PDB file of all heavy atoms in Angstrom:
ATOM      1  N   PRO B  85     163.958   5.016  55.478  1.00  0.00           N
ATOM      2  CA  PRO B  85     163.540   6.133  56.322  1.00  0.00           C
ATOM      3  C   PRO B  85     164.049   5.959  57.755  1.00  0.00           C
ATOM      4  O   PRO B  85     163.950   4.875  58.314  1.00  0.00           O
ATOM      5  CB  PRO B  85     162.016   6.052  56.281  1.00  0.00           C
ATOM      6  CG  PRO B  85     161.706   5.340  55.019  1.00  0.00           C
ATOM      7  CD  PRO B  85     162.828   4.382  54.799  1.00  0.00           C
ATOM      8  N   PRO B 102     165.476  26.912  51.098  1.00  0.00           N
ATOM      9  CA  PRO B 102     165.426  28.353  50.836  1.00  0.00           C
ATOM     10  C   PRO B 102     166.629  28.858  50.048  1.00  0.00           C
ATOM     11  O   PRO B 102     166.515  29.825  49.305  1.00  0.00           O
ATOM     12  CB  PRO B 102     165.380  28.970  52.240  1.00  0.00           C
ATOM     13  CG  PRO B 102     165.829  27.901  53.159  1.00  0.00           C
ATOM     14  CD  PRO B 102     165.474  26.609  52.530  1.00  0.00           C
ATOM     15  N   ASN B 112     163.507   7.605  49.250  1.00  0.00           N
ATOM     16  CA  ASN B 112     164.257   6.421  49.663  1.00  0.00           C
ATOM     17  C   ASN B 112     164.147   5.358  48.584  1.00  0.00           C
ATOM     18  O   ASN B 112     163.085   4.833  48.326  1.00  0.00           O
ATOM     19  CB  ASN B 112     163.697   5.877  50.974  1.00  0.00           C
ATOM     20  CG  ASN B 112     163.652   6.944  52.054  1.00  0.00           C
ATOM     21  OD1 ASN B 112     162.717   7.721  52.132  1.00  0.00           O
ATOM     22  ND2 ASN B 112     164.679   7.005  52.864  1.00  0.00           N
ATOM     23  N   GLY B 116     168.732  -3.186  46.423  1.00  0.00           N
ATOM     24  CA  GLY B 116     170.075  -3.612  46.038  1.00  0.00           C
ATOM     25  C   GLY B 116     171.214  -2.837  46.669  1.00  0.00           C
ATOM     26  O   GLY B 116     172.214  -2.577  46.016  1.00  0.00           O
ATOM     27  N   ALA B 120     169.925   0.305  43.070  1.00  0.00           N
ATOM     28  CA  ALA B 120     168.715   0.866  42.469  1.00  0.00           C
ATOM     29  C   ALA B 120     168.790   2.387  42.415  1.00  0.00           C
ATOM     30  O   ALA B 120     168.415   3.005  41.420  1.00  0.00           O
ATOM     31  CB  ALA B 120     167.488   0.409  43.256  1.00  0.00           C
ATOM     32  N   ALA B 123     171.265   3.482  39.759  1.00  0.00           N
ATOM     33  CA  ALA B 123     170.681   3.301  38.425  1.00  0.00           C
ATOM     34  C   ALA B 123     169.702   4.415  38.113  1.00  0.00           C
ATOM     35  O   ALA B 123     169.710   4.980  37.019  1.00  0.00           O
ATOM     36  CB  ALA B 123     169.985   1.943  38.343  1.00  0.00           C
ATOM     37  N   PHE B 179     190.354  -3.393  78.964  1.00  0.00           N
ATOM     38  CA  PHE B 179     191.120  -2.621  77.977  1.00  0.00           C
ATOM     39  C   PHE B 179     191.013  -1.129  78.254  1.00  0.00           C
ATOM     40  O   PHE B 179     189.917  -0.565  78.210  1.00  0.00           O
ATOM     41  CB  PHE B 179     190.629  -2.923  76.561  1.00  0.00           C
ATOM     42  CG  PHE B 179     190.615  -4.386  76.230  1.00  0.00           C
ATOM     43  CD1 PHE B 179     189.427  -5.053  76.045  1.00  0.00           C
ATOM     44  CD2 PHE B 179     191.819  -5.088  76.123  1.00  0.00           C
ATOM     45  CE1 PHE B 179     189.414  -6.415  75.746  1.00  0.00           C
ATOM     46  CE2 PHE B 179     191.804  -6.440  75.834  1.00  0.00           C
ATOM     47  CZ  PHE B 179     190.606  -7.105  75.645  1.00  0.00           C
ATOM     48  N   LYS B 213     194.499  -4.701  61.207  1.00  0.00           N
ATOM     49  CA  LYS B 213     195.094  -6.029  61.378  1.00  0.00           C
ATOM     50  C   LYS B 213     196.331  -6.171  60.492  1.00  0.00           C
ATOM     51  O   LYS B 213     197.371  -6.663  60.934  1.00  0.00           O
ATOM     52  CB  LYS B 213     194.032  -7.070  60.995  1.00  0.00           C
ATOM     53  CG  LYS B 213     194.373  -8.484  61.351  1.00  0.00           C
ATOM     54  CD  LYS B 213     193.193  -9.388  61.023  1.00  0.00           C
ATOM     55  CE  LYS B 213     193.667 -10.770  60.645  1.00  0.00           C
ATOM     56  NZ  LYS B 213     192.533 -11.630  60.256  1.00  0.00           N
ATOM     57  N   ALA B 220     194.056 -11.590  64.817  1.00  0.00           N
ATOM     58  CA  ALA B 220     192.748 -11.178  65.324  1.00  0.00           C
ATOM     59  C   ALA B 220     191.676 -11.652  64.366  1.00  0.00           C
ATOM     60  O   ALA B 220     191.873 -11.670  63.157  1.00  0.00           O
ATOM     61  CB  ALA B 220     192.683  -9.662  65.460  1.00  0.00           C
ATOM     62  N   ILE B 312     175.455  25.043  49.315  1.00  0.00           N
ATOM     63  CA  ILE B 312     175.950  24.129  50.347  1.00  0.00           C
ATOM     64  C   ILE B 312     176.886  24.867  51.296  1.00  0.00           C
ATOM     65  O   ILE B 312     176.785  24.735  52.530  1.00  0.00           O
ATOM     66  CB  ILE B 312     176.683  22.931  49.700  1.00  0.00           C
ATOM     67  CG1 ILE B 312     175.710  22.062  48.904  1.00  0.00           C
ATOM     68  CG2 ILE B 312     177.428  22.114  50.744  1.00  0.00           C
ATOM     69  CD1 ILE B 312     174.939  21.039  49.706  1.00  0.00           C
ATOM     70  N   THR B 351     189.596   1.095  48.021  1.00  0.00           N
ATOM     71  CA  THR B 351     188.637   0.073  48.434  1.00  0.00           C
ATOM     72  C   THR B 351     188.767  -1.177  47.580  1.00  0.00           C
ATOM     73  O   THR B 351     188.738  -2.295  48.083  1.00  0.00           O
ATOM     74  CB  THR B 351     187.200   0.632  48.343  1.00  0.00           C
ATOM     75  OG1 THR B 351     187.146   1.842  49.091  1.00  0.00           O
ATOM     76  CG2 THR B 351     186.186  -0.348  48.886  1.00  0.00           C
TER      77      THR B 351
END
Side-chain angles (χ1 to χ4, degrees):
Chain B
N112 306 84
F179 306 112
K213 191 175 149 183
I312 294 276
T351 306

